[in-house]
């Protein structure tokens, strides 16, 4: 046989193997032997059943196999199965509960245990526009987080928006400055992730209430709000001006300081002096804000005029309670809103966001300390006599103090840019808070200030949550301003004054009392809100209505 005949292919398989016209990268290289009788390629998928796992070969598996039961195993003596014979009970949600409660309940479940909601047929025929839904969700979350909402409430709103537009497999994540959301169409498809950074924060509870109404309409199955309509309403919220002008905010800052001075024993002259100091500090802070300085320096400058007026009274030997003037000015600067939000995040498990919020509170507090201590130290050096023990001589004037607490809550609500329809309710809530505090602390019961503050703040949170559920809105506008009369302004001032007079131990004790009061306020508000959610059912069944700087609140 010739050499040419030896090289001649002897079968179709050989021709396919040695055909020089085949240029596919999957062609069998020359010289590679192919096992006969195997017309198909071997399975290389990682999901293929490994050899030896077929049901027919299960009995022949060696004892050491991970897929075979041990020799000593007996089904008769087996322990109870992890999954009960009747199956795992399905978790059901109360359908008439507000969307905040339903979404919060689902967020607190593991992903695998969340019940699937009913199919939503409000998106387009070809399915939900995933990038646009995620973008709308992030924009809504940004407004809520920038407005002071807690991290859990922001995640609940984002979760509600996504599920309302058909994106069930979504996971929102909220930190102090970053929002992100991930959507995975199925277990075998790549997830889609979008994020947004919150760079500017502002206090506008009118806009916050409008965002809540938008989310409420999106989650309402009878509204059928389209993506285009949701975007249009969101754009209107961003363009809307604040409900109160700048001069009204300055007047409200003065009224808040004056009312706070009356709460700690001041008279008419003290009221006017504290109001003037707070308004002057507010204007100076606005001047620094217009120059682009950080809020730290704005708070430092805003704390100086009330302290300077108090020191001036002491130097002039005027028969005026100078300590009440300084205390009233501090009330307008204490970061009660950020403190409540930070403690709430910590209580609900968002420790990173809670740490960031509390760190922000600490910076603001340090700024106030620097501003007040600078003025008090200069006053002490030039001969000003300020008495830290004046805090022990606060007179009990129930009617006047209740009226002052209501004025304080009213002006607080204006500073927070609340809707006019909520101002009356929060004013009454603030009066109730001070009435409860006074009944517990200034009566023969003589309960400690910390316990009295916690009980009063708990009622504020309870009533605020009730009003929010009735109005289908956020609870912040009904609680933040109402806790104003409970803020530890006097304890803060006397602690700083003692430090300025070189009585460091006494000053630290007073500052520790201020911190305890602040924590009692935050925990009381959160506990009252949780009790309201657990025990009361005011749902969404029925008709519904259609729908700078932080100032330290």
């Amino acid at each position: 046989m010739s050499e040419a005949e030896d090289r001649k292919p002897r079968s179709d398989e050989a021709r396919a193997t040695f055909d020089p016209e085949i240029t596919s990268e999957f062609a069998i290289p020359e010289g590679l032997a192919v096992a006969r009788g195997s017309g198909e390629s071997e399975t290389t998928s990682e999901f293929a059943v490994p050899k030896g796992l077929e049901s027919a070969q299960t009995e022949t598996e060696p004892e050491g196999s991970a897929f075979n039961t041990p020799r000593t195993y007996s089904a008769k003596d087996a322990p109870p199965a992890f999954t009960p014979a009747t199956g795992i009970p399905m978790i059901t949600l109360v359908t008439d509960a507000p969307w905040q409660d339903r979404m919060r309940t689902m967020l607190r479940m593991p992903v695998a245990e969340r019940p699937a909601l009913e199919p939503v047929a409000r998106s387009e025929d070809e399915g939900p526009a995933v990038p646009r839904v995620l973008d709308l969700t992030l924009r809504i979350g940004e407004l809520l987080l920038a407005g002071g909402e807690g991290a859990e409430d922001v995640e609940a709103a984002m979760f509600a928006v996504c599920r309302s537009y058909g994106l069930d497999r979504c996971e929102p994540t909220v930190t102090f400055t970053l929002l992100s959301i991930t959507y995975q169409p199925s277990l075998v498809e790549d997830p889609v992730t979008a994020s947004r950074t919150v760079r500017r924060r502002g206090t506008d509870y009118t806009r916050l209430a409008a965002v809540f109404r938008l989310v409420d309409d999106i989650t309402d199955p009878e509204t059928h709000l389209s993506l285009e309509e949701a975007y249009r309403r969101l754009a209107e919220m961003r363009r809307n001006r604040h409900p109160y002008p700048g001069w009204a905010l300055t007047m409200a800052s003065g009224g808040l300081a004056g009312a706070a001075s009356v709460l700690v024993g001041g008279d008419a002259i003290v009221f006017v002096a504290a109001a003037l100091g707070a308004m002057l500090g507010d204007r100076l802070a606005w001047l620094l804000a217009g120059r682009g300085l950080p809020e730290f320096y704005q708070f430092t400058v805003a704390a100086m005029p009330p302290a300077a007026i108090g020191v001036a009274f002491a130097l002039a030997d005027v028969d005026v309670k100078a300590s009440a003037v300084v205390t009233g000015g501090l009330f307008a600067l204490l970061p009660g809103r950020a403190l409540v939000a930070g403690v709430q995040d910590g209580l609900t498990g968002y420790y990173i966001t809670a740490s960031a919020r509390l760190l922000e509170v600490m910076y603001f507090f340090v700024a106030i300390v620097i501003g007040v201590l600078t003025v008090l130290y200069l006053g002490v050096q030039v001969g000003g006599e300020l008495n830290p023990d004046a805090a022990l001589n606060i007179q009990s004037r129930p009617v006047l103090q209740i009226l002052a607490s209501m004025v304080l809550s009213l002006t607080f609500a204006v500073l927070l840019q609340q809707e006019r329809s909520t101002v009356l309710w929060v004013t009454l809530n603030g009066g109730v808070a001070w009435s409860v505090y006074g009944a517990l602390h200034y009566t023969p019961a003589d309960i400690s200030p910390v316990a009295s503050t916690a009980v009063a703040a708990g009622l504020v949170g309870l009533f605020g949550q009730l009003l929010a559920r009735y109005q289908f809105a956020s609870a912040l506008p009904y609680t933040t301003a109402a806790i104003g009369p409970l803020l530890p302004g006097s304890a803060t001032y006397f602690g700083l004054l003692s430090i300025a007079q070189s009585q460091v131990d006494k000053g630290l004790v007073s500052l520790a009392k201020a911190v305890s009061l602040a924590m009692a306020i935050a925990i009381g508000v959160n506990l009252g809100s949780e009790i309201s959610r657990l025990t009361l059912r005011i749902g969404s069944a029925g008709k519904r209505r259609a729908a700078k700087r932080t100032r330290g609140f």
Side-chain angles (χ1 to χ4, degrees):
M1 183 181 296
S2 64
E3 183 180 355
E5 291 179 351
D6 290 340
R7 292 196 303 264
K8 182 178 179 181
R10 293 175 173 80
S11 64
D12 294 340
E13 179 181 340
R15 284 194 299 271
T17 304
F18 299 100
D19 192 352
E21 298 297 329
I22 298 177
T23 57
S24 172
E25 60 182 2
F26 298 103
I28 300 175
E30 182 177 357
L32 179 64
V34 181
R36 296 183 178 274
S38 177
E40 297 181 358
S41 60
E42 295 185 1
T43 304
T44 59
S45 172
E46 61 184 26
F47 297 103
V49 180
K51 183 179 180 181
L53 283 185
E54 292 81 358
S55 58
Q57 299 178 355
T58 303
E59 299 295 333
T60 62
E61 281 293 313
E63 183 178 352
S65 173
F67 302 98
N68 195 14
T69 57
R71 182 185 306 173
T72 57
Y73 176 81
S74 174
K76 181 179 179 181
D77 301 328
F82 179 78
T83 304
T86 56
I88 299 176
M90 184 179 63
I91 301 175
T92 58
L93 300 178
V94 180
T95 57
D96 60 345
W99 63 265
Q100 297 100 313
D101 288 355
R102 290 185 282 113
M103 296 301 108
R104 185 181 292 107
T105 301
M106 298 192 69
L107 281 174
R108 293 177 179 178
M109 297 180 187
V111 179
E113 297 180 8
R114 292 175 183 170
L117 298 182
E118 299 82 6
V120 181
R122 65 174 60 194
S123 57
E124 291 77 5
D125 294 335
E126 63 274 10
V130 175
R132 296 193 65 197
V133 172
L134 297 184
D135 179 71
L136 175 68
T137 302
L138 289 174
R139 291 178 183 273
I140 290 176
E142 178 189 12
L143 289 181
L144 293 176
L145 187 61
E149 274 290 354
E152 187 178 37
D153 293 327
V154 176
E155 283 195 2
M158 296 171 63
F159 196 66
V161 172
C162 279
R163 292 181 71 91
S164 298
Y165 285 111
L167 306 186
D168 290 338
R169 293 177 174 270
C170 59
E171 278 296 323
T173 303
V174 175
T175 59
F176 188 58
T177 57
L178 182 65
L179 298 166
S180 65
I181 188 165
T182 301
Y183 169 67
Q184 189 172 12
S186 65
L187 293 176
V188 297
E189 295 183 71
D190 295 333
V192 180
T193 302
S195 62
R196 195 173 184 87
T197 302
V198 179
R199 302 189 183 278
R200 298 187 60 185
R201 301 176 185 274
T203 305
D204 189 346
Y205 281 3
T206 299
R207 179 179 296 172
L208 190 68
V211 176
F212 260 76
R213 284 195 293 270
L214 173 60
V215 177
D216 191 46
D217 289 340
I218 290 175
T219 56
D220 186 3
E222 299 179 359
T223 303
H224 300 290
L225 195 66
S226 64
L227 281 174
E228 289 72 16
E229 179 66 17
Y231 266 109
R232 184 190 64 79
R233 289 176 55 176
L234 199 62
E236 289 180 356
M237 296 174 197
R238 290 181 174 275
R239 289 195 301 265
N240 286 345
R241 298 176 59 87
H242 298 304
Y244 305 102
W247 63 267
L249 300 180
T250 301
M251 296 294 294
S253 179
L256 189 153
S261 66
V262 174
L263 282 179
V264 294
D267 52 13
I269 298 178
V270 172
F271 180 93
V272 175
L276 290 177
M279 289 189 290
L280 180 58
D282 182 80
R283 287 293 91 191
L284 290 176
W286 273 107
L287 182 63
L288 293 183
R291 300 296 185 271
L293 289 180
E295 283 186 315
F296 181 88
Y297 303 106
Q298 298 175 32
F299 274 81
T300 302
V301 173
M304 288 182 174
I309 293 178
V311 171
F313 280 143
L315 291 175
D317 199 15
V318 180
D319 189 15
V320 172
K321 205 168 187 179
S323 59
V325 177
V326 183
T327 300
L330 291 181
F331 263 86
L333 298 174
L334 294 177
R337 174 184 61 85
L339 175 66
V340 172
V343 175
Q344 179 182 357
D345 288 343
L347 294 175
T348 53
Y350 295 82
Y351 300 113
I352 296 178
T353 307
S355 301
R357 289 187 189 272
L358 294 178
L359 184 63
E360 181 189 41
V361 172
M362 187 193 72
Y363 270 99
F364 289 160
F365 190 78
V366 169
I368 296 171
V369 168
I370 292 175
V372 175
L373 273 182
T374 301
V375 176
L376 293 181
Y377 181 78
L378 293 177
V380 171
Q381 295 301 315
V382 297
E385 295 182 0
L386 297 171
N387 184 15
D389 296 330
L392 304 176
N393 300 323
I394 297 178
Q395 300 176 357
S396 178
R397 300 171 292 180
V399 177
L400 184 59
Q401 288 178 330
I402 291 175
L403 292 176
S405 66
M406 296 176 69
V407 172
L408 192 153
S409 299
L410 171 65
T411 53
F412 210 155
V414 174
L415 286 174
L416 294 173
Q417 301 280 3
Q418 292 189 195
E419 292 180 302
R420 291 178 174 85
S421 60
T422 65
V423 172
L424 176 61
W425 294 108
V426 75
T427 301
L428 296 176
N429 203 8
V432 170
W434 182 261
S435 300
V436 173
Y437 173 80
L440 295 176
H441 180 58
Y442 292 117
T443 58
D446 194 20
I447 300 177
S448 67
V450 176
S452 303
T453 300
V455 174
L459 289 178
V460 168
L462 178 63
F463 293 154
Q465 192 65 229
L466 290 177
L467 292 171
R469 287 164 173 258
Y470 179 75
Q471 299 291 336
F472 299 96
S474 170
L476 282 182
Y478 299 97
T479 57
T480 305
I483 65 174
L486 304 176
L487 292 176
S490 58
T492 303
Y493 162 67
F494 289 110
L496 299 179
L497 179 58
S498 298
I499 294 176
Q501 294 179 343
S502 300
Q503 301 176 9
V504 179
D505 294 340
K506 189 175 182 180
L508 293 179
V509 170
S510 185
L511 290 179
K513 178 183 177 181
V515 173
S516 301
L517 292 173
M519 294 294 293
I521 293 173
I523 295 175
V525 170
N526 180 264
L527 181 60
S529 300
E530 293 295 335
I531 291 176
S532 174
R533 296 190 188 105
L534 290 175
T535 60
L536 300 176
R537 291 294 181 186
I538 300 179
S540 54
K543 297 293 182 180
R544 263 175 275 193
R545 297 183 303 167
K548 298 97 186 168
R549 64 189 180 91
T550 63
R551 295 175 172 268
F553 303 119

